[in-house]
């Protein structure tokens, strides 16, 4: 068990947390949620001992081991992958290294023998002989190929490093597991594996995530941070949302009844306070009035943007025709003979673990790069708006947000443009912020403003939820569902894919494509064996379809 006892944290004059008391018990997975800036990651640092409190303390059951998902992706660059994972249990790793050093000695003494014997006993008690195989199983489950297990961390790409650091956190069955955004940069297969791991994990888990589907799958309780306090709710994320809304509704209804009673008492007192025969009754009602206290209902610190994509013109029947599209990058064929036609009702989720293939596909459709073979043609009634996965170059500018967004608006009016920014929570002086100083989340909200103001009837979005908080993801999800045009998008957010897409296109490792008119959950169920085994004919169609 881990608990916070009267924890207060002040940053300058601001109290981020005030007298927080909460216990996290064994056998539960807690989803730690709250608005951006509420202090989710900060609270995890307090629990892990990385950050000192202004007041109060954190206590852990004696003898229990705490494990944290490391956020520094370069910290272990000089270590082999397997060693990095085993370091998740630092005591076990230290024993391994001390043993190796003793056995490597040329002048092995009696004292060395005694020490080695002690280490061997502790090593066996900690299941040390299974450490490498256990670490390899975690890595394989997360999709880190066996060929990389003895590589140095610095030789891995960013996504592979994330998976290794996650395996490190999970290694050795820790008693308390703290995970800050563990699904970031994971492919869908790795996320599915992690979900199953946590569902079957018997100890204490505290996780911060913006993935609502993930929280619904793994969490048994929700810890909601709002106004410096943390409130526990039994159940998953959806249950928290329903419960929190119900509590507010009940408080409002209770206040309404109290207000009606107050009005009734005030009227009686006003009418009869000067009446001698009614004076005792009036006095009694004054006392009753003084006892009535309205419940304080604070508005949530959460802020939801308003995302509404409205096309300027209706789309025709001919939307997009793609014929025999192929592309090779660095000697690898990422797209191989892709052919399909889009209809005017299609909302396509582009799925698969090959991020390069998906990004290449978007870039070809937007004219940023040329295919090696094949062609594509947009219908004459279409207009496209694009959300790129990497927008770094677009924000290397001294322009203000308003001036930048005005470029993409048919109406060159600052008030009109500010209206779109206001929907995305850019208020007041935010409009004169320079593009180059914006945070990741602010950049995403700018790009979504650009897409809204364009009036396009075809939207292409490549991982739009990166850097967004839960409230913005929810707003984006609603906007995508309501959009009346055509959409092609990729997203690691399971709920967005399931609730938005009516057509699934998966780009396979060999560059071929599976194209199904279906929901995402139905697709995963119907094609799961074919996807996992990746057994395809030369045409790219699953043999057992």
């Amino acid at each position: 068990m881990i608990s916070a006892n009267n924890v207060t944290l002040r940053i300058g004059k601001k109290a981020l947390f005030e007298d927080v008391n909460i216990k996290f018990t064994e056998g539960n997975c807690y989803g730690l949620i709250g608005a951006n800036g509420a202090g989710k990651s900060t609270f995890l640092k307090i629990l892990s001992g990385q950050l000192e409190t202004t007041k109060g303390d954190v206590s852990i059951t004696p003898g229990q081991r705490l494990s944290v998902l490391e956020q520094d992706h370069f910290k272990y660059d000089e270590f082999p992958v397997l060693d990095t994972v085993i370091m998740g249990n630092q005591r076990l790793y230290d024993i391994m290294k001390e043993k190796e050093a003793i056995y490597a000695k040329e002048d092995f003494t009696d004292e060395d023998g005694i020490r080695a014997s002690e280490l061997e006993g502790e090593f066996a008690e900690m299941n040390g002989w299974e450490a490498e195989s256990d670490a390899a199983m975690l890595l394989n489950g997360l999709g880190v190929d066996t060929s990389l297990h003895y590589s140095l961390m610095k030789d891995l790409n960013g996504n592979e490093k994330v998976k290794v650091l996650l395996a490190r956190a999970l290694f050795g069955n820790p008693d308390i597991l703290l995970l800050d955004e563990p699904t970031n940069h994971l492919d869908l297969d790795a996320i599915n594996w992690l979900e199953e791991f946590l569902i079957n994990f018997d100890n204490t888990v505290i996780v911060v995530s913006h993935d609502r589907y993930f929280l619904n799958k793994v969490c048994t309780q929700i810890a909601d941070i709002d106004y410096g306090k943390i409130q526990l709710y039994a159940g998953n994320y959806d249950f928290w949302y329903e419960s929190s809304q119900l509590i507010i509704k009940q408080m409002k209804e209770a206040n309404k009844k109290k207000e009606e009673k107050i009005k009734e008492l005030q009227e009686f007192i006003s009418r009869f306070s000067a009446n001698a025969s009614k004076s005792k009754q009036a006095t009694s009602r004054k006392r009753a009035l003084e006892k009535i206290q309205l419940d304080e209902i604070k508005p949530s610190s959460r802020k939801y943007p308003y995302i509404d994509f409205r096309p300027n013109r209706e789309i025709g029947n001919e939307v997009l025709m793609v014929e025999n599209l192929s592309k090779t990058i660095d000697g690898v064929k990422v797209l191989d003979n892709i052919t399909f036609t889009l209809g005017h009702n299609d909302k396509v989720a582009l799925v698969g673990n090959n991020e390069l293939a998906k990004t290449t596909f978007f870039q070809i459709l937007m004219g940023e790069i040329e295919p090696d073979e094949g062609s594509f043609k947009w219908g004459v009634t279409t207009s496209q708006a694009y959300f790129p996965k990497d927008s770094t170059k677009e924000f290397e500018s001294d322009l203000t947000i308003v001036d930048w967004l005005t470029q993409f608006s048919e109406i060159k009016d600052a008030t009109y443009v500010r209206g779109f920014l206001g929907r995305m929570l850019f208020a007041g002086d935010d409009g004169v912020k320079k593009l180059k100083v914006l945070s990741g989340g602010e950049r995403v909200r700018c790009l979504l403003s650009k897409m809204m103001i364009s009036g396009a009837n075809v939207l292409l979005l490549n991982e739009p939820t990166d850097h967004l908080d839960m409230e913005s993801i929810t707003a984006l999800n609603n906007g995508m569902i309501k959009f009346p045009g055509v959409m092609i998008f990729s997203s690691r957010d399971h709920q967005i894919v399931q609730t938005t897409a009516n057509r699934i296109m998966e780009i396979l490792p060999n560059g071929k494509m599976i194209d199904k008119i279906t929901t995402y959950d139905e697709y995963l169920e119907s094609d799961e064996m074919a996807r996992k085994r990746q057994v395809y004919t030369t045409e790219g169609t699953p043999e057992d379809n």
Side-chain angles (χ1 to χ4, degrees), residues 172-187:
N173 195 37
D175 300 290
I176 301 161
L177 182 56
L178 307 183
L179 302 174
D180 192 354
E181 296 292 355
T183 62
N184 276 5
H185 309 295
L186 292 188
D187 54 71

Side-chain angles (χ1 to χ4, degrees), residues 108-164:
F108 192 86
T109 65
D110 291 342
E111 288 79 8
D112 289 330
I114 293 169
R115 180 57 181 161
S117 178
E118 292 171 349
L119 292 172
E120 290 290 4
E122 191 175 353
F123 186 70
E125 286 179 9
M126 299 177 74
N127 295 321
W129 296 111
E130 299 171 8
E132 287 200 4
S133 61
D134 288 346
M137 284 178 64
L138 290 172
L139 290 168
N140 290 334
L142 288 165
V144 179
D145 193 84
T146 305
S147 63
L148 298 174
H149 291 188
Y150 294 94
S151 302
L152 291 179
M153 285 288 284
K154 66 182 179 182
D155 296 328
L156 272 57
N157 64 37
N159 290 351
E160 290 164 345
K161 281 186 177 182
V162 167
K163 292 179 177 181
V164 175

Side-chain angles (χ1 to χ4, degrees), residues 442-503:
E442 288 173 326
R443 290 183 178 190
V444 172
R445 287 188 277 123
C446 277
L447 291 171
L448 293 172
S449 300
K450 175 184 174 182
M451 296 185 80
M452 285 194 289
I453 210 168
S454 73
N457 53 26
V458 179
L459 304 182
L460 297 94
L461 302 104
N462 189 2
E463 299 296 344
T465 63
D466 287 355
H467 307 293
L468 287 184
D469 58 22
M470 191 88 77
E471 293 71 40
S472 297
I473 291 171
T474 300
L476 174 60
N477 195 171
N478 293 336
M480 292 171 71
I481 291 170
K482 291 189 299 182
F483 179 60
V486 171
M487 190 182 300
I488 307 174
F489 70 96
S490 67
S491 176
R492 285 183 290 270
D493 189 296
H494 187 116
Q495 193 162 334
I496 282 183
V497 179
Q498 170 60 19
T499 57
T500 305
N502 56 23
R503 185 171 175 179

Side-chain angles (χ1 to χ4, degrees), residues 300-319:
S300 173
S301 59
R302 293 175 171 82
K303 294 182 180 180
Y304 290 82
Y306 179 68
I307 299 178
D308 186 20
F309 303 108
R310 295 186 183 181
N312 290 336
R313 64 183 295 187
E314 192 173 337
I315 201 165
N317 290 326
E318 293 184 1
V319 178

